[in-house]
Amino acid sequence: MAYVDYADEVIFAGKSHKKFPLILNNEHIINRLTLKYFLSQRVLWSEGTLHTYTKHVCDFISQLELENKECSFDHIDEYWLEAYANQISNRNPGSEGYVSQLLSSVIDFLFWCENNNYCKNLIGVTSKFKIKVFQTKNGVTHNLVKYYNKQGASPKIAPRDEWIETVLSEEYFKSEDLEIRFNLMVEWGRRCGLRAHEICALSVDQIPSRETLEQNIIEKNNSFIELSVTKGKKKARIPVSGILLKKTLDYIESERNQLIKKFKNEARLQRKAYIPPQQVFISSTTGQALHRRTFSNQLRSRWLQALENGNLTQDQYVWVHGLRHRFATDKLKKISQLKHIRDPREVTKTLTRHSHSSTLDIYTASIHLEDMND
């Protein structure tokens, strides 16, 4: 079965790409067609989009491997695509939105293959093709993508603070240092609405001095930090409580510094150079910046542990992006209660750094679900 691995570095057209995703087969041979596809899209996609497409296309390649060793497209048509969609749905019950996303990625990949002559008469916008698609402003889509998108799962309630606290109370890490790091990262998610990759990208240079922080705490003022790594690579300036920043600075000067000393000592013994990363949160295993997937997996593992211990139920779901949902939902609730603000959604859109106020529909639905359950 195909699997995803990551090259430490890929240099293409003179530009270096770190942790570039690759799809390999059971014999550890790189799928060259998918590599060409990802390289062709590297300028258009963000890092997060690239990793998402990689997972989706890998699922598709795995399915082809089960059917023929060569992974050819010869037998693929509308009926095959529908059967594949049903299989994904059966594997992921209640995740119709995921089925739609995966199918969309597969359609995009196949359409690229058709346009670059890696297949012929397989997919196109007329009936002469075995798979008929429709043009959109962003590319092409298929009726199955639209169908599963409409069947999408009902909105989830943003994880309540008490659910998050329950997850945090679970005994998970053997080290107190790791516990402090994890709790701090969770706070950046739910108090500031940062996404996982934004939390992991926070740098030491972004944290204000202790003197500035203590003054802001006394005056009960927020400090502002500039985010350089965001969704869509748009720079943003966000307010952060002095208390959260002080906790972060304490971590940097204590637990983080101890970890850096450990890796420097190990490197010295091995006669190697160790250059600490600029990021605030570093891995206790590699000494490099903690990856967002590691953070996401840690939170999920703790939620599953709370589930197993009977402290939470399946409906009381806590996930990394849910921390941002909690932040956005709380902001929308609070601002909606202020009579002097004419358009709470527009203000909330700015605070949560969304491009369109329609994106807030999911948070409005979350508030409705919360009110129903209260």
Side-chain angles (χ1 to χ4, degrees), residues 1-13:
M1 183 176 290
Y3 68 95
V4 178
D5 201 355
Y6 296 87
D8 289 337
E9 183 180 26
V10 171
I11 298 176
F12 190 78

Side-chain angles (χ1 to χ4, degrees), residues 166-178:
T166 299
V167 168
L168 292 176
S169 68
E170 292 291 328
E171 293 184 5
Y172 182 77
F173 293 110
K174 295 179 180 179
S175 164
E176 181 65 23
D177 294 355
L178 296 180

Side-chain angles (χ1 to χ4, degrees), residues 91-343:
R91 274 192 272 133
N92 303 272
S95 300
E96 286 79 4
Y98 171 73
V99 180
S100 175
Q101 292 169 9
L102 195 151
L103 284 178
S104 182
S105 299
V106 170
I107 292 294
D108 188 86
F109 170 60
L110 291 177
F111 195 70
W112 176 87
C113 290
E114 184 77 44
N115 288 338
N116 287 274
N117 298 317
Y118 292 111
C119 58
K120 189 174 182 181
N121 297 329
L122 171 63
I123 184 167
V125 296
T126 66
S127 56
K128 79 171 186 178
F129 295 95
K130 291 196 283 185
I131 297 175
K132 185 178 178 181
V133 291
F134 304 92
Q135 289 282 358
T136 69
K137 63 179 181 180
N138 297 319
V140 294
T141 190
H142 187 272
N143 279 332
L144 281 172
V145 175
K146 293 182 177 180
Y147 170 78
Y148 279 99
N149 192 40
K150 288 180 180 178
Q151 307 299 315
S154 57
K156 293 177 284 193
I157 296 178
R160 296 177 184 264
D161 282 322
E162 55 265 32
W163 304 350
I164 298 171
E165 292 299 328
T166 299
V167 168
L168 292 176
S169 68
E170 292 291 328
E171 293 184 5
Y172 182 77
F173 293 110
K174 295 179 180 179
S175 164
E176 181 65 23
D177 294 355
L178 296 180
E179 197 69 41
I180 291 170
R181 184 194 68 190
F182 178 77
N183 289 3
L184 199 51
M185 295 178 78
V186 169
E187 288 303 287
W188 276 96
R190 68 166 163 171
R191 303 300 180 198
C192 302
L194 297 193
R195 302 172 177 91
H197 74 282
E198 294 170 344
I199 296 171
C200 292
L202 286 171
S203 69
V204 174
D205 294 341
Q206 289 173 292
I207 309 302
S209 68
R210 189 171 293 278
E211 182 182 359
T212 301
L213 292 178
E214 289 177 349
Q215 187 63 35
N216 285 341
I217 291 172
I218 292 171
E219 296 175 359
K220 297 182 178 179
N221 291 331
N222 280 324
S223 296
F224 286 83
I225 68 167
E226 302 283 342
L227 296 179
S228 54
V229 177
T230 64
K231 184 178 180 180
K233 300 180 180 179
K234 297 177 182 177
K235 289 189 177 182
R237 188 168 182 263
I238 65 166
V240 185
S241 77
I243 293 175
L244 177 56
L245 286 169
K246 184 177 180 298
K247 286 181 180 178
T248 305
L249 191 58
D250 290 342
Y251 166 77
I252 292 170
E253 294 177 350
S254 180
E255 290 81 12
R256 184 180 184 276
N257 274 350
Q258 289 299 319
L259 199 55
I260 287 174
K261 285 180 182 178
K262 168 195 160 186
F263 281 102
K264 281 185 175 179
N265 289 335
E266 289 178 355
R268 192 179 300 114
L269 291 172
Q270 298 172 10
R271 296 185 179 182
K272 295 180 179 179
Y274 169 67
I275 301 174
Q278 289 298 311
Q279 287 79 4
V280 171
F281 302 110
I282 60 178
S283 167
S284 62
T285 305
T286 65
Q288 299 305 312
L290 193 74
H291 198 279
R292 66 181 188 277
R293 282 196 302 276
T294 302
F295 176 42
S296 179
N297 290 338
Q298 287 171 352
L299 183 57
R300 176 164 176 78
S301 294
R302 288 179 76 131
W303 176 75
L304 289 172
Q305 189 170 302
L307 204 65
E308 185 179 342
N309 293 338
N311 297 324
L312 290 175
T313 66
Q314 285 280 357
D315 293 334
Q316 297 170 326
Y317 186 40
V318 181
W319 72 108
V320 167
H321 201 69
L323 302 174
R324 177 169 165 79
H325 281 228
R326 180 72 271 155
F327 170 80
T329 301
D330 287 345
K331 287 296 180 186
L332 186 55
K333 265 185 174 182
K334 186 175 180 180
I335 294 170
S336 297
Q337 293 169 358
L338 301 177
K339 295 181 180 178
H340 64 279
I341 294 181
R342 293 183 179 180
D343 192 347

